[in-house]
Amino acid sequence: MSYNLLKGKRGIIFGALDSNSIAWKTAERVHEEGGQFVLTNAPVAMRMGQINELAEKTGSQIIPADATSLEDLQNLIDQSMEILGGKIDFVLHSIGMSINVRKGKHYTDQNYDWTQKGTDVSAMSFHKLMQTLYKSDAMNEWGSIVALTYMAAQRVFPDYNDMADNKAYLESIARSFGYFFGRDKKVRVNTISQSPTPTTAGSGVKGFDGFIAYAEKMSPLGNATALDCANYTVAMFSDLTKRVTLQNLYNDGGFSNMGVSDAVMSTFVGDE
Ligand code: NAI
């Protein structure tokens, strides 16, 4: 169902790799709600991704950018304003990557070159993106910036590895930069903390199937899907959430406030 919530708004969406990506679903929903946007991803991801299909479907253009490169980000922002015909109203940062996770390096045995690369891609890129937007004065007043995160920033999930630290850093950047963006430009900055979701990045985490099944049983409303996340992001981009900022917003079916559920308990106790 469409409510035209984003009619007349212009944005940039990072991170649509394939149709499972949370950013892909978000692009589809933003399009349905009347928003116009530029799609972007790392040049290497474009070669293997199916982003052209999404661009065609949503009538958008694609500008490759490595989110760790200030030069790429500047070019992306300048070109996006030209293509879209004005300043930006919404930005989705949907980027995450850990080489330690990908190569099965344990948290207690990090390769620090990989750790640093993962931090740059998964967290510092958010600072670089916002600093480039801020210095270029590229955001419209009452614009909205959202990054995606996971609850391993607050609680221990051993196999989430160094991504847990990257997410903690990402969430802190949202608050710290969000202050200046709010004070100086009336732009809001938030993170959405999403349930485990079967995507390329998600499935790379060791034991992901167990992880997702456990979260499903713990959450009174069940795991939030990629589409649920897309819908939440649409709400955060819309004028209905104008003074929500500096928040880490859980979209997780209630998981983050649970201690234990009947469904999980029943696997530990026999019939009485
Ligand atoms: P995905 O694998 O579809 O998306 C990750 C994206 O990051 C890809 O499009 C990839 O090309 C992009 N990327 C990697 N390096 C980049 C770089 N240097 N420059 C620009 N883009 C780069 O997976 P998903 O799950 O849609 O991930 C999106 C976001 O959601 C990530 O921040 C992830 O950590 C977060 N998230 C995912 C959860 C899950 O279980 N799938 C749960 C909670 C948060």
Side-chain angles (χ1 to χ4, degrees):
M1 202 188 295
S2 168
Y3 308 90
N4 253 340
L5 283 173
L6 303 178
K7 195 166 172 238
K9 292 196 186 293
R10 313 176 178 104
I12 302 176
I13 296 180
F14 286 77
L17 181 67
D18 56 34
S19 59
N20 295 320
S21 298
I22 298 170
W24 185 291
K25 296 275 189 294
T26 309
E28 290 178 335
R29 284 295 294 120
V30 168
H31 176 62
E32 282 170 15
E33 294 296 336
Q36 281 180 292
F37 48 84
V38 161
L39 291 167
T40 183
N41 209 326
V44 56
M46 287 190 179
R47 284 200 288 279
M48 39 193 236
Q50 306 135 29
I51 199 168
N52 286 325
E53 186 193 321
L54 180 64
E56 221 165 275
K57 200 170 162 183
T58 57
S60 36
Q61 292 199 37
I62 306 166
I63 301 175
D66 175 350
T68 64
S69 157
L70 287 171
E71 201 188 327
D72 282 11
L73 288 170
Q74 187 70 60
N75 174 59
L76 166 69
I77 289 162
D78 293 345
Q79 278 204 51
S80 297
M81 286 197 285
E82 229 177 275
I83 291 168
L84 299 168
K87 288 200 201 183
I88 305 301
D89 299 294
F90 61 86
V91 179
L92 175 66
H93 178 287
S94 183
I95 299 172
M97 191 278 301
S98 158
I99 308 177
N100 288 304
V101 166
R102 211 195 280 159
K103 302 214 174 188
K105 212 61 179 135
H106 196 262
Y107 187 74
T108 57
D109 181 33
Q110 301 276 287
N111 173 324
Y112 290 113
D113 289 338
W114 297 350
T115 309
Q116 221 158 20
K117 180 73 189 155
T119 303
D120 198 14
V121 170
S122 308
M124 212 184 303
S125 64
F126 193 40
H127 194 287
K128 289 176 176 174
L129 166 63
M130 286 199 281
Q131 184 166 296
T132 311
L133 288 163
Y134 181 92
K135 283 187 170 175
S136 311
D137 197 21
M139 294 294 295
N140 273 323
E141 283 196 357
W142 303 109
S144 175
I145 300 173
V146 168
L148 300 183
T149 186
Y150 181 57
M151 212 189 57
Q154 287 79 32
R155 313 260 170 95
V156 177
F157 292 85
D159 291 327
Y160 207 63
N161 209 320
D162 57 333
M163 276 305 288
D165 305 331
N166 293 336
K167 290 304 192 191
Y169 184 17
L170 178 86
E171 291 175 18
S172 178
I173 289 170
R175 285 186 295 271
S176 302
F177 219 121
Y179 167 72
F180 295 105
F181 243 133
R183 186 192 70 179
D184 301 340
K185 317 265 189 197
K186 291 197 168 54
V187 167
R188 58 200 188 279
V189 182
N190 295 285
T191 48
I192 294 180
S193 187
Q194 166 70 7
S195 293
T197 312
T199 62
T200 305
S203 316
V205 177
K206 196 173 137 218
F208 185 75
D209 289 348
F211 210 47
I212 199 166
Y214 173 71
E216 174 74 23
K217 282 202 172 212
M218 276 290 275
S219 314
L221 295 181
N223 287 332
T225 63
L227 179 60
D228 292 327
C229 190
N231 283 329
Y232 198 0
T233 304
V234 164
M236 292 311 300
F237 287 165
S238 82
D239 289 336
L240 300 178
T241 55
K242 271 170 106 167
R243 281 199 172 76
V244 181
T245 196
L246 313 185
Q247 302 299 313
N248 181 41
L249 305 162
Y250 290 102
N251 185 48
D252 66 354
F255 181 86
S256 49
N257 266 347
M258 289 300 295
V260 74
S261 67
D262 289 335
V264 169
M265 261 320 242
S266 69
T267 64
F268 292 98
V269 290
D271 290 336
E272 313 224 330

